[in-house]
Amino acid sequence: MLLRSRLLKTAPSWKQLSVCSKSKFSFGKQTRYKSTDASEDEVKHFQELAPTWWDTDGSQRILHKMNLARLDFVQRTLRNQVKIKDPEIFVPGFNYREFLPGYVCDNIQREMQDSIETSLDEKLKMSVLDVGCGGGILSESLGRLKWVKSVQGIDLTRECIVVAKEHAKKDPMLEEKVSYECKALEDVTGQFDIITCMEMLEHVDVPSEILRHCWARLNPDKGILFLSTINRDLISWFTTIFMGENVLKVVPKGTHHLSKYINSKEIIAWFDENYGGQFQLLDLKGTMYLPLQGWVEHDCSDVGNYFMAIQRLK
Ligand SMILES: CC(C)=CCC/C(C)=C/CC/C(C)=C/CC/C(C)=C/CC/C(C)=C/CC/C(C)=C/Cc1cc(C(=O)O)cc(O)c1O
Ligand SMILES: C[S@@+](CC[C@H](N)C(=O)[O-])C[C@H]1O[C@@H](n2cnc3c(N)ncnc32)[C@H](O)[C@@H]1O
Ligand SMILES: [Mg+2]
C-alpha cells in the first residue's frame, strides 16, 4: 500500500538487531548482517555502473548534472548560516535595493559575499561524511571547497570505492582532504559537521536506519544533514522511471523502484517523532531536470525529487 509510510517500514526488531552483529537476521527476502547494509540487487546494479561513473556523457550523466544544483543548495544553505555582524555591510531588514542605485547595490552585495566567505574560512574547517558516495562525484566537489577540512566517503559497492579512489588521484589537492572506504554507515566512528546522503536513501531497504545512524554521527552543535531523494508519487514515477529510464533513457534501466521512494513529509515526521525539538529544517526545495536547463529548483517539495537540509541543535 503506497500510502503506508516507506520510512517507517518496520526494521528488524531490537532483539534481532542486538544479535545481528553476531549472526544474520532475515529482513524481507534478503538476509543481512547490519541494519544499514545494502541489498544485493542494489550493489549489483551499481557494480555494473562503476566503470563509467566518471564519463560525464555516460550512464551517470544526470548525476553529474545534478551535482551542480546540489552544490548550489549546500553552499547557499551554509552561507545563510553566516551572520554578518558588520553594520557597515548589512542592516537586517533594510532592503537597500529599493533605495540605492544598481552599482552601489552590486558593491554591497560583493562586500556581503566577501564577508561571508571570510567568515566561512575563519570557521573551523568543516568535516564531511558522504554516505553512499558512489564514485565520488559529490565527495570530490565538496573536497575542493575552501571551508571543508576533510571528506570521508563511504559506500557498500566496492567497485565504486575503487573508482572513487582512482579518480581522486588525478587531483593532488584531494589527496589530503578526501578518503574513501567500503563500509557500512553503522561502522563509521566519529562525528561530522556535515553529513551528505544524496540519491541513496531511495536505494536502501530501511532508510530510517540510515537517518538514525547519520543523526548519531552529526555534530550536536549545529551539524547539518543534507539529503536528496525522491517523493513517492505519480510525477516521480513519470519523470524518473517512465521518462528517465524508458523514454529518454538518461538513467540506467532498473535504477529506481517507486516503492522505495520516500516522501519529504515522511522524513520530517520521522525527525519530529524521534528528535523533536533537537533539530531545525533549514531548507527544503523540490528539484527537477529540464532537458535544456538542467536541474532547476522549485517550491513543490512534495512532488518529484527534493533537496533537504536538517540542522542538529543538540
Ligand atoms: C512542480 C512539479 C514537480 C511539476 C511536475 C509536472 C510534470 C509532470 C513535469 C514533467 C517534467 C518534464 C518536462 C518531463 C519531461 C521528461 C523529463 C525531462 C524527465 C526527467 C528524466 C530524468 C532526468 C529523471 C532524473 C532521475 C533521477 C532521480 C536522477 C538522479 C539519479 C541518477 C542516477 C544515475 O545517473 O545513475 C542514479 C540515481 O540513483 C539517481 O537518483
Ligand atoms: C545513485 S548512487 C549516488 C552516489 C552519490 N551519493 C552521488 O549522489 O553522486 C547511490 C549509491 O548509494 C550506494 N548505496 C546504496 N545502499 C547503500 C548503503 N546501505 N550503504 C552505503 N552505500 C549504499 C550505492 O552503492 C551507490 O553507489
Ligand atoms: Mg537514485
Side-chain angles (χ1 to χ4, degrees):
M1 234 271 269
L2 278 188
L3 294 182
R4 186 167 60 84
S5 165
R6 149 86 169 129
L7 199 72
L8 302 178
K9 185 173 180 178
T10 43
S13 71
W14 283 114
K15 186 173 178 311
Q16 281 172 308
L17 280 180
S18 62
V19 296
C20 75
S21 49
K22 293 190 267 315
S23 65
K24 295 182 181 180
F25 62 86
S26 278
F27 185 75
K29 62 181 185 302
Q30 302 276 349
T31 298
R32 62 174 88 265
Y33 290 92
K34 298 186 169 87
S35 66
T36 58
D37 235 342
S39 54
E40 289 145 11
D41 50 343
E42 291 282 1
V43 170
K44 186 173 180 304
H45 176 78
F46 290 108
Q47 267 174 340
E48 291 162 9
L49 297 178
T52 60
W53 206 278
W54 282 95
D55 176 354
T56 52
D57 294 320
S59 55
Q60 245 67 0
R61 58 190 180 282
I62 293 298
L63 213 46
H64 283 279
K65 294 178 191 299
M66 184 184 252
N67 201 47
L68 305 173
R70 59 196 185 183
L71 266 182
D72 285 347
F73 181 80
V74 168
Q75 294 197 80
R76 186 179 73 238
T77 303
L78 289 162
R79 285 199 182 102
N80 290 342
Q81 295 308 299
V82 174
K83 301 290 175 259
I84 299 175
K85 300 180 182 62
D86 182 350
E88 294 287 307
I89 295 179
F90 177 63
V91 177
F94 170 58
N95 185 0
Y96 53 85
R97 286 197 179 277
E98 277 182 31
F99 305 94
L100 301 174
Y103 73 93
V104 175
C105 295
D106 293 346
N107 287 339
I108 292 174
Q109 183 71 29
R110 198 173 306 110
E111 282 195 36
M112 279 171 62
Q113 287 305 342
D114 291 348
S115 172
I116 286 171
E117 295 295 335
T118 307
S119 307
L120 279 173
D121 278 353
E122 282 159 7
K123 272 173 76 79
L124 281 175
K125 297 275 186 195
M126 298 184 199
S127 58
V128 179
L129 173 66
D130 187 12
V131 181
C133 63
I137 296 172
L138 180 66
S139 300
E140 287 200 9
S141 299
L142 293 171
R144 293 191 178 94
L145 296 175
K146 282 186 294 186
W147 37 264
V148 166
K149 170 179 66 182
S150 62
V151 181
Q152 185 179 334
I154 63 162
D155 202 291
L156 283 172
T157 302
R158 187 168 300 281
E159 288 78 3
C160 287
I161 292 297
V162 169
V163 164
K165 287 179 175 177
E166 274 312 299
H167 194 269
K169 286 176 187 168
K170 298 175 189 281
D171 182 348
M173 81 159 288
L174 296 177
E175 194 172 354
E176 297 306 316
K177 291 185 83 172
V178 182
S179 63
Y180 296 107
E181 269 195 279
C182 181
K183 70 190 320 185
L185 174 55
E186 60 206 87
D187 294 333
V188 172
T189 56
Q191 287 199 319
F192 300 85
D193 302 307
I194 292 173
I195 297 181
T196 53
C197 200
M198 299 237 177
E199 301 307 308
M200 70 82 69
L201 276 180
E202 72 272 16
H203 297 281
V204 304
D205 287 338
V206 192
S208 58
E209 280 302 290
I210 297 288
L211 294 178
R212 188 169 67 83
H213 283 283
C214 283
W215 177 268
R217 290 158 181 77
L218 198 54
N219 181 344
D221 181 18
K222 298 200 174 152
I224 301 176
L225 172 61
F226 288 98
L227 305 172
S228 81
T229 187
I230 312 169
N231 281 290
R232 193 171 59 255
D233 63 69
L234 190 58
I235 286 176
S236 295
W237 172 82
F238 174 74
T239 52
T240 63
I241 297 172
F242 179 72
M243 293 304 291
E245 294 185 18
N246 295 289
V247 175
L248 300 174
K249 301 189 191 308
V250 291
V251 179
K253 193 134 178 69
T255 295
H256 288 120
H257 309 280
L258 182 61
S259 60
K260 295 176 89 170
Y261 288 179
I262 307 150
N263 294 331
S264 54
K265 283 197 166 80
E266 288 176 318
I267 291 181
I268 295 166
W270 185 85
F271 273 97
D272 277 332
E273 185 177 334
N274 292 277
Y275 307 111
Q278 302 173 58
F279 76 96
Q280 67 172 334
L281 179 66
L282 292 181
D283 202 357
L284 171 59
K285 284 280 186 282
T287 184
M288 68 190 298
Y289 179 77
L290 296 176
L292 301 179
Q293 286 177 265
W295 287 90
V296 294
E297 284 186 8
H298 54 77
D299 288 325
C300 294
S301 54
D302 294 342
V303 172
N305 294 62
Y306 57 93
F307 298 145
M308 186 185 283
I310 289 177
Q311 184 169 51
R312 183 171 175 179
L313 301 175
K314 48 184 165 182

